[in-house]
Amino acid sequence: MDAKTLILGCSRDAREIAEELLEKDGEVIVAIPGSTGDAGLFDDLNTGKKVAKLEILPVTGSFSCRGSVGQFSLTFSGSGNPVTRTVSSIVIADEVERKPNFSIYGVAASSGVVSLSQAYEFIESGSGPAKKILSGKRIAFLMGLAEDNNPVITEEVMRCALKLQQEFNRQTYIFTGNLKVAGNGLEALYRQTKKAGTVYMKFTETIPDIQADKDGNVTITYVDEIIRETFKLNPDVTVIDEALHPSAFSRGLSNKLEIDTGPDGFVQSDNVHRATVFTNRKGIFVSGFSRSAQTEEERQADIGNTALSVLNLYKNPPEEQTGKAEINFTGHCVRCLTCFRVCPYGAISLNSKISVDTQACEGCGICVAECPRFAIKINTPVGGAISDKIPSTKKTTDTGDFKPSITAFCCSRSAKGAGDLASCMGYSLPAGLKIVEVPCAGSISLEHLFSAFSKGADGVLVLTCHKGNCHSEYGNIYAHQRVDQISDLLPQLGFEPERLAYKTLASNMGTEFAETVNAFENAILDLGPSRVKEV
């Protein structure tokens, strides 16, 4: 695999990641958003042998991406001719967008009302529009009154207040909601500010009334929640907190690169399997403010983790192996693009024909279960397919000594481990329990569930990862939908829906696994043998 990486974004994080990769003889292309980027941030990297291995590429138009890990092909379209580059890995590392909460507090920007960024910039460099912050004696910070505190904003507010107290002898006040200082070092910083003289006004029941006149003079009226008295403060300068959002550039990248995003829009889903800098696409990493609102310490950790992950990919490229999806074009595939839409790893390519990028494919089997034409299979050894693993049970009509036959489809990353743990812990499990290990719960099709019943199961369990913990992101959701589909259908067939159940488990939940399967066995005992067995 070529040691060439594309870094998308213009930030200090992007610069430091590029520097680390260049030090290890990697080749780096930095794509900077043309409207907001500053190529000068990377000037000091254009020295010595590095200059031949570093390319700065302004992005002024759109771009497209094809291929997968080891062979990403990107085409940038701007004012000139399209530019195409091929890289082995991609890193997203742009800055964050800050939006001052002026409107939330009902104030407007003025010489006496400034944003946190403006205050921070002036205190650190002596430049910017917040000049009045050093001429006034009383400085009030409004933080987290409208929504929960963000640790990044909390740290910046406290550092501003501390510097104003210690170095400029200004009296600072912090009006805050539910102050959260669980972040690394925030508790110590909070104590420092209080010792230096910062006054904290905390509100849990009501929020202060904030009024500003046409000249920008602010009056804060509030009720002290301890002594229940009303007070007023007329600060010389009021500093407004900010909301942090992923940049427009980062948000655009998530669509172009098929990256799952989190509920707050940052370019990484809230999934334990993505920790720390990984995405749902192999070979694409995300760092710093592109993946979450981060403290300085967290950003530094991301820089190191990203560089190590990219370098490890150089040394240990993905190998082709069995357990990958294969498409049968002979009379089966009709190019409906279902596989392209549902693949959580972006492993389906649309070229002259639909193809599977075997290095990107994780073998989850979601495409197999969703294909309406049964045109896809997982390349496994003989007997390794899920349908081959479903056990057959000897049919009987004897109800005198009924021992339910239970087929449990278990995700290899969660429920299978929980089942193994339950056995190791010595729990008694149903005698008729048969576990079918699947690569992902999303690979369990309607056909597999019906097959389990037709092969003699008295009850069928589908045991998956918890929501948000699926390595394939949506596999457990697909599985749940299929169970619901069949559960709705079974009564119409004269079959008890209680014979099919769905449950989420983590791999460390051995006790819960035992409780689940034993409770299910008791439910099946009450129902009696499956009538499918009596046919």
Side-chain angles (χ1 to χ4, degrees):
M1 179 183 292
D2 292 335
K4 184 178 289 188
T5 298
L6 172 69
I7 300 178
L8 294 160
C10 186
S11 65
R12 189 194 64 197
D13 301 358
R15 183 206 171 283
E16 293 189 18
I17 293 168
E19 185 174 22
E20 289 206 31
L21 296 179
L22 290 168
E23 289 290 345
K24 300 297 183 181
D25 293 327
E27 293 185 51
V28 176
I29 302 170
V30 180
I32 299 175
S35 58
T36 59
D38 177 14
L41 185 64
F42 303 88
D43 281 348
D44 59 340
L45 296 182
N46 288 314
T47 58
K49 67 177 182 178
K50 295 178 184 178
V51 68
K53 295 181 177 293
L54 174 65
E55 178 185 5
I56 306 298
L57 189 64
V59 180
T60 56
S62 62
F63 79 95
S64 60
C65 177
R66 304 175 73 89
S68 61
V69 58
Q71 198 73 15
F72 291 108
S73 179
L74 298 102
T75 300
F76 299 87
S77 301
S79 56
N81 294 325
V83 176
T84 299
R85 296 290 184 271
T86 300
V87 297
S88 59
S89 56
I90 298 173
V91 174
I92 304 172
D94 200 31
E95 272 296 352
V96 73
E97 284 185 4
R98 293 171 172 264
K99 296 182 179 179
N101 292 320
F102 292 126
S103 61
I104 291 178
Y105 299 119
V107 297
S110 67
S111 60
V113 180
V114 299
S115 70
L116 176 59
S117 293
Q118 291 171 336
Y120 206 87
E121 178 186 7
F122 192 83
I123 292 170
E124 292 295 323
S125 65
S127 62
K131 297 179 181 180
K132 192 177 177 182
I133 199 167
L134 296 185
S135 60
K137 293 183 178 180
R138 293 178 297 184
I139 317 298
F141 293 85
L142 304 184
M143 176 182 74
L145 292 172
E147 54 189 28
D148 283 344
N149 291 318
N150 181 298
V152 177
I153 299 299
T154 301
E155 180 177 355
E156 290 181 1
V157 166
M158 290 196 293
R159 291 197 182 281
C160 276
L162 184 62
K163 195 159 188 175
L164 286 168
Q165 288 282 159
Q166 291 182 333
E167 298 183 22
F168 300 100
N169 196 30
R170 300 296 189 268
Q171 178 58 57
T172 59
Y173 303 83
I174 296 179
F175 290 81
T176 180
N178 183 19
L179 183 62
K180 296 180 180 180
V181 290
N184 197 10
L186 290 186
E187 177 68 30
L189 185 58
Y190 167 67
R191 292 177 182 175
Q192 272 186 284
T193 57
K194 290 197 68 175
K195 186 177 181 181
T198 296
V199 177
Y200 283 84
M201 305 293 184
K202 302 177 187 177
F203 302 90
T204 57
E205 299 173 4
T206 60
I207 63 172
D209 178 60
I210 302 163
Q211 300 291 332
D213 62 23
K214 62 180 181 179
D215 297 321
N217 299 311
V218 174
T219 299
I220 303 174
T221 306
Y222 62 96
V223 176
D224 187 294
E225 293 187 356
I226 297 177
I227 63 175
R228 301 295 177 179
E229 293 288 336
T230 300
F231 295 90
K232 286 187 179 181
L233 177 69
N234 297 104
D236 298 299
V237 177
T238 303
V239 181
I240 306 299
D241 65 356
E242 297 169 322
L244 302 180
H245 303 280
S247 68
F249 185 61
S250 292
R251 294 195 300 272
L253 294 175
S254 65
N255 293 324
K256 295 288 186 180
L257 299 176
E258 302 174 58
I259 303 297
D260 292 326
T261 59
D264 47 11
F266 285 95
V267 192
Q268 188 186 56
S269 62
D270 186 16
N271 187 321
V272 65
H273 297 290
R274 309 293 175 243
T276 54
V277 297
F278 298 93
T279 69
N280 56 294
R281 294 200 64 186
K282 195 180 296 182
I284 301 182
F285 308 94
V286 58
S287 180
F289 278 137
S290 282
R291 79 176 187 92
S292 63
Q294 297 186 333
T295 63
E296 176 65 23
E297 187 175 24
E298 290 170 334
R299 291 177 71 183
Q300 286 298 319
D302 265 16
I303 290 167
N305 287 331
T306 302
L308 285 173
S309 298
V310 171
L311 293 171
N312 185 60
L313 189 62
Y314 292 163
K315 296 178 182 178
N316 304 292
E319 298 180 358
E320 292 191 18
Q321 54 188 14
T322 59
K324 307 293 184 178
E326 291 183 349
I327 301 175
N328 182 355
F329 289 98
T330 308
H332 290 78
C333 178
V334 293
R335 294 168 178 79
C336 66
L337 303 186
T338 297
C339 55
F340 178 77
R341 290 192 296 269
V342 302
C343 178
Y345 302 105
I348 305 296
S349 295
L350 303 180
N351 299 306
S352 57
K353 67 176 183 178
I354 303 169
S355 60
V356 178
D357 294 326
T358 55
Q359 289 187 324
C361 177
E362 294 280 354
C364 66
I366 291 177
C367 59
V368 180
E370 287 291 305
C371 179
R373 295 279 295 178
F374 307 103
I376 310 175
K377 68 174 184 178
I378 298 296
N379 179 21
T380 58
V382 176
I386 296 175
S387 56
D388 296 331
K389 298 178 183 178
I390 299 173
S392 295
T393 302
K394 184 178 179 181
K395 297 179 180 180
T396 178
T397 57
D398 182 12
T399 59
D401 188 22
F402 175 49
K403 293 181 180 178
S405 173
I406 298 172
T407 297
F409 292 95
C410 296
C411 171
S412 61
R413 288 186 169 92
S414 58
K416 178 59 168 64
D420 293 341
L421 181 59
S423 297
C424 291
M425 295 172 71
Y427 284 108
S428 176
L429 303 178
L433 176 66
K434 299 293 189 298
I435 291 177
V436 178
E437 181 178 359
V438 297
C440 171
S443 64
I444 305 168
S445 67
L446 299 176
E447 182 185 22
H448 293 142
L449 298 176
F450 280 123
S451 176
F453 282 119
S454 68
K455 289 187 175 183
D458 298 298
V460 176
L461 272 172
V462 175
L463 304 178
T464 78
C465 307
H466 293 312
K467 186 177 181 180
N469 280 0
C470 177
H471 189 278
S472 303
E473 203 68 48
Y474 312 109
N476 47 6
I477 297 175
Y478 285 125
H480 200 175
Q481 290 173 345
R482 291 174 194 135
V483 169
D484 287 344
Q485 279 181 275
I486 294 184
S487 295
D488 292 340
L489 181 63
L490 290 179
Q492 302 176 38
L493 303 176
F495 206 66
E496 303 93 338
E498 293 82 9
R499 293 188 184 275
L500 177 62
Y502 171 91
K503 177 79 172 179
T504 64
L505 293 169
S507 60
N508 63 347
M509 297 175 66
T511 300
E512 290 80 359
F513 181 93
E515 291 172 349
T516 297
V517 295
N518 284 318
F520 187 66
E521 182 189 41
N522 290 333
I524 300 301
L525 280 170
D526 292 338
L527 294 173
S530 165
R531 281 176 290 164
V532 173
K533 295 171 65 174
E534 297 174 2
V535 175

